[in-house]
Amino acid sequence: MTHSHKLTEKQLISRASFCFGNLGHSAFYGVMSTYFIIFVTSGMFAGLSKTVANKLIGLIVSVRILELLIDPLLGNIVDNTKTRWGKFKPWILMGNIVSAILLLILFTGIFGLAKYNWVLFAILFVIIFITFDIFYSFSDVSYWGMVPALSEDSEERGVYTALGTFAGTLGWNGLTIIVVPIVTTFTYLATGHHRQGPAGWFAFAAIISALAVICALVVCVGTKENYNVIRKSAQDKTTIREVFSAIFHNDQILWPSLAYLLYSCAYVVTNGVLFYLYKFVIGKPGEFWIVGVIATIIGFCTSPLYPILNKFIPRKWLFIGGQVCMSLAYLIFIFARSNVLMMDFGLVLFNINFAQLVTVLTLTDAIEYGQLKSGQRNEAVVLAVRPMIDKLTGAISNSLVGYIAIAAGMTGSATAADMTGHDIRTFDSMAFNIPLVLAVLSIFVFLFKVKLSEKAHAEVVEELKDKLAQGELTSEASTSSTSLKEETIYAPTDGELVAMKAVVDRDGQSFPGKGFAIKPTSDKLYAPFDGKINFTFGTRHAFGITSDKGLEMIVHIGVGTVNMRGEGFNAHYNDGQIVKKGQLLFDFDRELIKQSGYEDWVITFFEQPHNIEATNGFTPGKTVKHGDKVVTVEFK
């Protein structure tokens, strides 16, 4: 809870669990998006005519494109899920288990059916692959959809996303290191031949599937959703129409998504062709592991560096910087690939990027942006956009890689010695020129069209909070009763009582809502009554507390302090903790708040102002000590 990084055990476990979860999840996606088509061209369709093989590869690509529209619908199902374990964990676990089983069936070639009856194979393939993709998507949408449920602060979300991306880098690039040794070893054990055969590919898929299920279990056990006031205020179920409206009427979903689509197409296509480059062009498939080693080392550096760099560099420029490095890498691949050292340097540049991190965080922040514009909060729906793009790029990659493999004769038992000059030119024309153009286009889209910065998101969160204080947002968890209750509120800090209308920001705007403020003379804050801490804003400048009698109240430290992103705030409790009147809850640095250009006033306001019938005994200008009686509230 402290900006000095004194994390609680629960926070450490939550971060570590979320991080570990993407190790298996990303590796599983790599098997599906990159190595499945390699298995198809080298093993599943070996022995089939070129015409039939082309038809079946076309079918695979068509199915992957057609099922793209499924993801937002699945996101809507996740958003409308309510269980004792939250709305994400059941889908993470079930999605991984079912998709792992079905992927193994696909890696048997549906038990070799294509060689005996390719029409029946095509029918079964469509059924199995769509079912597989639905459950994988449930898992993927839920995993990344959990980020805004873990915190509403951009900085803390950045930590979770960076950790997940870091583990994902290991999972994705780790495949590059282990794929050839595993496939070759298990093929040798099954056939006695040192090559990459169907038995080896099945063993590879089985190992990664088991890893994905284990990692899903870790996420489910180690993380916990936060039910803060902003999430609770938008829990109504959404319709199918509202799902697509949430996407297409939110410009800060569409533009980041387009930039990510351009980047992802370039990145995934390149990863797909690198295997063929080493096996058929360079003629050294045994050295393909170098690609994975370089990518893994760079991943070790870039993902952990993101939260640090983002303190000084806005995420927009981190995205653009990464794409510039990627563009330079393509120039090296095109003009200097005969030089081993330059190729290695190109691989380094290719992997220096923050595109997925920045996109996930921008889309995550677009959830509150969309909630402010439309009143709807669609967590899983919004974050289903990125997996949907990943699937589209996977389909494009499968299509292009499959086309290259067949057109250049890189299928079955072919080797580098079988490649002709025409084959190499066919490979070169498609492998790097198109991705270079896509990388450059992504720079222009992000530079000129993406407006939702970290600062802009903090302002959105504050505006949502203001609307809540004014009663413009309602929480389904709060219900009004007909009988009146009475609660006494005691001063949470030392200082002078101030009426709400006297609290103004730097723009001269009054602080909204019903409640009161204190101009503090102390840097400590105490519980205003007996009750329970409901949530703490990720920026640590505000928290929600409910009294034993049911009065819901938010305590807000400072005016404009959301922009301090937690610096100078130190909490002495955990969310969900039962507290007693006068118990120390916070230390806050008044001098730092003032030096940052903000007011240090402590403001309390009622979460459900329409339920407040009367306030009695409040005296503006009165000097109080913490624990002194301030006001008596009558509420429903």
Side-chain angles (χ1 to χ4, degrees):
M1 292 295 303
T2 72
H3 192 75
S4 56
H5 305 292
K6 295 179 181 177
L7 299 173
T8 66
E9 182 179 355
K10 288 184 178 179
Q11 287 174 309
L12 288 171
I13 292 173
S14 178
R15 288 183 176 186
S17 299
F18 187 83
C19 173
F20 187 70
N22 204 31
L23 177 69
H25 187 72
S26 186
F28 192 81
Y29 173 71
V31 173
M32 176 188 72
S33 65
T34 299
Y35 295 101
F36 179 65
I37 195 66
I38 295 174
F39 161 68
V40 167
T41 58
S42 64
M44 183 187 289
F45 295 162
L48 295 180
S49 69
K50 190 172 182 178
T51 301
V52 173
N54 274 328
K55 289 180 179 179
L56 292 177
I57 289 176
L59 173 66
I60 292 172
V61 174
S62 299
V63 170
R64 297 203 64 184
I65 292 176
L66 289 175
E67 39 88 29
L68 293 176
L69 294 177
I70 295 175
D71 278 13
L73 304 181
L74 302 184
N76 188 51
I77 293 173
V78 174
D79 271 331
N80 292 332
T81 296
K82 293 181 180 180
T83 73
R84 57 182 295 187
W85 303 282
K87 64 183 181 181
F88 300 111
K89 294 180 182 180
W91 294 114
I92 290 175
L93 184 58
M94 182 169 59
N96 268 282
I97 292 174
V98 175
S99 58
I101 293 171
L102 294 176
L103 184 68
L104 292 180
I105 294 175
L106 290 174
F107 264 86
T108 65
I110 313 182
F111 308 104
L113 185 60
K115 298 177 182 179
Y116 304 102
N117 189 328
W118 72 268
V119 175
L120 180 59
F121 168 86
I123 295 171
L124 290 177
F125 175 84
V126 170
I127 296 172
I128 293 173
F129 195 88
I130 289 178
T131 306
F132 157 80
D133 187 70
I134 287 173
F135 281 94
Y136 171 79
S137 297
F138 269 129
S139 173
D140 195 37
V141 166
S142 299
Y143 176 80
W144 292 107
M146 183 181 286
V147 172
L150 297 174
S151 176
E152 79 290 329
D153 173 39
S154 285
E155 184 176 9
E156 182 66 9
R157 288 173 176 178
V159 172
Y160 274 103
T161 307
L163 289 171
T165 304
F166 172 70
T169 299
L170 299 184
W172 173 278
N173 295 312
L175 295 181
T176 311
I177 300 173
I178 66 175
V179 58
V180 173
I182 288 179
V183 175
T184 303
T185 298
F186 280 93
T187 300
Y188 175 75
L189 293 175
T191 66
H193 298 290
H194 289 283
R195 57 186 180 86
Q196 295 87 48
W201 283 111
F202 178 81
F204 173 67
I207 292 170
I208 302 305
S209 295
L211 175 65
V213 173
I214 293 171
C215 290
L217 281 169
V218 171
V219 174
C220 292
V221 172
T223 59
K224 183 180 180 180
E225 293 181 42
N226 294 325
Y227 289 94
N228 63 43
V229 65
I230 292 178
R231 290 192 76 213
K232 289 196 301 180
S233 69
Q235 289 292 312
D236 292 336
K237 291 188 175 182
T238 53
T239 64
I240 300 298
R241 180 180 179 181
E242 289 170 339
V243 167
F244 289 98
S245 176
I247 295 174
F248 292 110
H249 288 84
N250 189 329
D251 60 303
Q252 293 308 297
I253 294 176
L254 297 178
W255 289 118
S257 296
L258 176 58
Y260 181 71
L261 173 62
L262 295 168
Y263 151 78
S264 187
C265 282
Y267 185 79
V268 176
V269 166
T270 302
N271 273 284
V273 299
L274 284 176
F275 179 85
Y276 290 90
L277 175 68
Y278 274 79
K279 181 174 182 178
F280 295 103
V281 179
I282 298 176
K284 297 179 179 180
E287 295 183 6
F288 182 60
W289 62 272
I290 295 174
V291 176
V293 169
I294 292 175
T296 302
I297 292 173
I298 300 304
F300 262 105
C301 299
T302 53
S303 295
L305 274 176
Y306 176 82
I308 299 172
L309 294 175
N310 191 221
K311 290 181 181 294
F312 311 101
I313 305 173
R315 61 188 177 209
K316 171 183 284 190
W317 296 108
L318 290 175
F319 180 96
I320 292 171
Q323 294 309 100
V324 169
C325 289
M326 193 175 185
S327 300
L328 293 174
Y330 284 124
L331 295 177
I332 292 174
F333 295 157
I334 294 169
F335 298 109
R337 75 179 191 205
S338 60
N339 187 308
V340 175
L341 291 178
M342 287 299 295
M343 273 296 293
D344 290 344
F345 180 60
L347 290 170
V348 170
L349 290 175
F350 177 71
N351 287 283
I352 297 177
N353 70 78
F354 302 98
Q356 186 181 60
L357 269 168
V358 172
T359 302
V360 170
L361 286 170
T362 304
L363 291 178
T364 301
D365 288 352
I367 292 170
E368 281 85 21
Y369 177 83
Q371 184 178 353
L372 181 63
K373 291 182 65 175
S374 67
Q376 298 175 11
R377 184 179 179 89
N378 308 97
E379 293 174 338
V381 168
V382 171
L383 292 176
V385 173
R386 188 204 54 79
M388 183 170 64
I389 294 172
D390 285 342
K391 289 182 184 178
L392 176 58
T393 55
I396 293 172
S397 175
N398 287 171
S399 176
L400 183 58
V401 172
Y403 170 79
I404 292 174
I406 294 174
M410 299 176 176
T411 59
S413 59
T415 66
D418 300 317
M419 298 299 102
T420 65
H422 176 267
D423 294 334
I424 301 300
R425 286 192 297 274
T426 299
F427 177 86
D428 286 344
S429 64
M430 301 291 287
F432 301 124
N433 292 303
I434 293 175
L436 172 61
V437 173
L438 296 177
V440 172
L441 287 175
S442 71
I443 293 175
F444 286 97
V445 172
F446 216 95
L447 181 62
F448 295 109
K449 291 297 184 179
V450 178
K451 307 296 183 183
L452 190 56
S453 64
E454 296 90 330
K455 183 178 179 180
H457 175 255
E459 293 171 351
V460 167
V461 171
E462 281 291 275
E463 193 168 347
L464 282 171
K465 181 261 302 172
D466 291 346
K467 286 181 175 292
L468 181 79
Q470 294 171 312
E472 295 181 23
L473 300 179
T474 59
S475 169
E476 71 167 16
S478 301
T479 57
S480 299
S481 62
T482 56
S483 60
L484 285 179
K485 303 175 187 177
E486 186 176 276
E487 184 68 80
T488 299
I489 301 175
Y490 300 88
T493 190
D494 304 343
E496 178 185 339
L497 295 181
V498 180
M500 287 288 278
K501 63 183 180 180
V503 180
V504 296
D505 59 23
R506 287 185 293 181
D507 297 323
Q509 299 295 318
S510 297
F511 201 94
K514 294 182 179 179
F516 64 91
I518 297 177
K519 190 172 180 59
T521 57
S522 169
D523 58 3
K524 298 185 183 300
L525 189 142
Y526 304 83
F529 41 61
D530 295 345
K532 178 182 178 181
I533 303 294
N534 297 324
F535 65 91
T536 306
F537 279 76
T539 44
R540 295 180 284 279
H541 73 297
F543 65 93
I545 182 171
T546 300
S547 73
D548 289 344
K549 295 180 181 179
L551 179 65
E552 296 177 294
M553 195 169 74
I554 293 175
V555 180
H556 192 285
I557 305 172
V559 179
T561 47
V562 64
N563 295 306
M564 295 178 66
R565 298 173 74 173
E567 186 174 4
F569 299 92
N570 180 18
H572 297 282
Y573 62 83
N574 295 317
D575 285 353
Q577 183 175 327
I578 303 298
V579 297
K580 294 294 184 180
K581 178 182 77 71
Q583 180 176 334
L584 179 64
L585 300 181
F586 257 100
D587 295 317
F588 56 100
D589 192 332
R590 295 172 57 221
E591 289 304 315
L592 182 60
I593 291 173
K594 293 177 181 178
Q595 290 172 11
S596 301
Y598 307 113
E599 296 290 345
D600 62 350
W601 293 351
V602 173
I603 306 158
T604 65
F605 62 90
F606 306 113
E607 187 177 325
Q608 299 292 321
H610 55 276
N611 288 343
I612 306 301
E613 291 295 314
T615 56
N616 303 304
F618 179 73
T619 307
K622 179 181 178 182
T623 299
V624 294
K625 294 287 187 180
H626 75 270
D628 289 349
K629 180 178 177 180
V630 173
V631 66
T632 299
V633 180
E634 296 179 11
F635 66 101
K636 294 190 287 186

